[in-house]
């Protein structure tokens, strides 16, 4: 498959919410947008992250989540009212799963160009969004992470645009491979070595895998 449907384009600005007896500022609450939105190097207009030490930045400018996973979560969490953007994703897509997409794959979306950088590793604010302290563990255990993208070319995106594959990374290391290496502590030495060689994978990930190789 060379393209995915954009089911929903979601944005939201940080807000204050109460969580476990304290006030937290979070940008995880996203809502579908119907108009065309400008995407710059760090954000869609009307979108932002609260804690820039762990969220946002050039390697996490855009977050995509497959709509195919919604059914799994609806079965797991029947009490939740699922709406697009509930996972904090900017792009709710159909057609590309984590096993289909390589780190370093390049895509066009509207007039923008994007490159896949990494899977999403959740923080406690995902639990806040679902009002479930166990949500981070559930999310990691599922390995249904979605993926982040860096902006290579700024431009405009609208809700009915397609995410089109431009170029496949030669190392063939999928988003699912990175998650599996992390969650299962899988010592697949060949895969670890290939992952380290993927230029689009952020330095923090490559350093982590390099240490894993050296400790083997």
């Amino acid at each position: 498959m060379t393209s995915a449907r954009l089911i929903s384009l979601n944005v939201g600005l940080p807000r204050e919410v109460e969580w476990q007896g304290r006030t937290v500022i979070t940008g995880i609450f996203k809502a579908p947008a119907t108009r065309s939105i400008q995407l710059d190097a760090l954000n869609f207009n009307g979108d932002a992250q609260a804690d820039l030490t762990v969220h946002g930045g050039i390697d996490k400018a855009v977050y995509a989540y497959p709509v195919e996973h919604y059914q799994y979560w609806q079965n797991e969490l029947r009490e939740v009212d699922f709406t697009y953007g509930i996972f904090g994703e900017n792009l709710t897509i159909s057609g590309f799963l984590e096993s289909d997409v390589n780190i370093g794959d390049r895509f066009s979306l509207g007039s923008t160009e994007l490159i896949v950088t990494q899977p999403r590793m959740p923080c406690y604010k995902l639990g806040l969004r679902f009002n479930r302290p166990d949500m981070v563990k559930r999310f990691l255990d599922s390995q249904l992470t979605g993926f982040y993208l860096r902006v290579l070319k700024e431009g405009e995106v609208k809700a009915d645009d397609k995410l089109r594959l431009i170029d496949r990374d030669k190392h063939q290391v999928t988003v699912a491979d990175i998650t599996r290496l992390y969650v299962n502590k899988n010592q697949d030495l060949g895969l670890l070595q290939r992952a380290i060689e993927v230029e689009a994978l952020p330095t923090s990930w490559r350093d982590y895998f390099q240490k894993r190789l050296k400790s083997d």
Side-chain angles (χ1 to χ4, degrees):
M1 183 175 292
T2 59
S3 68
R5 285 195 304 131
L6 180 55
I7 302 298
S8 184
L9 172 61
N10 315 298
V11 295
L13 295 173
R15 65 175 74 170
E16 289 187 354
V17 297
E18 295 298 317
W19 172 246
Q20 297 185 334
R22 61 193 177 107
T23 300
V24 176
I25 302 175
T26 177
I28 199 170
F29 290 86
K30 310 292 185 192
T34 56
R35 59 186 174 83
S36 177
I37 300 181
Q38 175 71 23
L39 175 60
D40 296 326
L42 296 178
N43 279 310
F44 282 100
N45 283 0
D47 193 70
Q49 298 81 30
D51 184 356
L52 297 179
T53 64
V54 291
H55 301 295
I58 61 171
D59 289 323
K60 297 180 181 178
V62 177
Y63 177 43
Y65 199 73
V67 74
E68 288 85 352
H69 299 336
Y70 270 62
Q71 186 60 57
Y72 170 86
W73 290 113
Q74 287 172 334
N75 292 338
E76 288 286 308
L77 308 172
R78 295 184 182 276
E79 75 281 5
V80 175
D81 180 19
F82 281 88
T83 56
Y84 295 137
I86 194 170
F87 295 94
E89 77 269 21
N90 302 113
L91 312 176
T92 312
I93 62 172
S94 177
F96 285 125
L97 303 180
E98 294 85 352
S99 57
D100 302 322
V101 176
N102 297 320
I103 305 297
D105 282 357
R106 293 194 301 116
F107 292 89
S108 66
L109 178 66
S111 60
T112 73
E113 289 187 12
L114 310 168
I115 187 169
V116 178
T117 57
Q118 60 193 299
R120 188 254 192 97
M121 296 288 107
C123 75
Y124 75 94
K125 290 179 180 177
L126 186 65
L128 177 156
R129 180 67 179 89
F130 282 84
N131 196 29
R132 295 189 62 109
D134 66 345
M135 190 59 191
V136 170
K137 183 179 186 305
R138 281 175 172 266
F139 191 84
L140 281 175
D141 287 347
S142 75
Q143 300 190 32
L144 306 178
T145 63
F147 49 92
Y148 285 111
L149 304 107
R150 184 191 312 146
V151 179
L152 298 177
K153 178 185 175 184
E154 298 177 348
E156 289 198 347
V157 178
K158 59 183 184 299
D160 60 351
D161 284 333
K162 286 187 179 295
L163 188 67
R164 300 183 186 278
L165 181 65
I166 298 173
D167 185 58
R168 295 281 279 176
D169 187 83
K170 64 181 181 180
H171 297 93
Q172 301 289 296
V173 177
T174 68
V175 174
D177 286 334
I178 297 297
T179 304
R180 190 162 50 250
L181 284 171
Y182 179 80
V183 172
N184 298 338
K185 299 298 185 283
N186 187 330
Q187 286 299 92
D188 182 334
L189 301 184
L191 182 56
L192 280 169
Q193 185 60 56
R194 280 166 43 221
I196 290 166
E197 294 170 358
V198 179
E199 185 177 348
L201 189 68
T203 301
S204 59
W205 276 104
R206 284 184 280 146
D207 287 348
Y208 169 70
F209 289 142
Q210 185 70 62
K211 291 176 183 176
R212 289 265 301 273
L213 271 178
K214 289 180 178 177
S215 68
D216 182 67

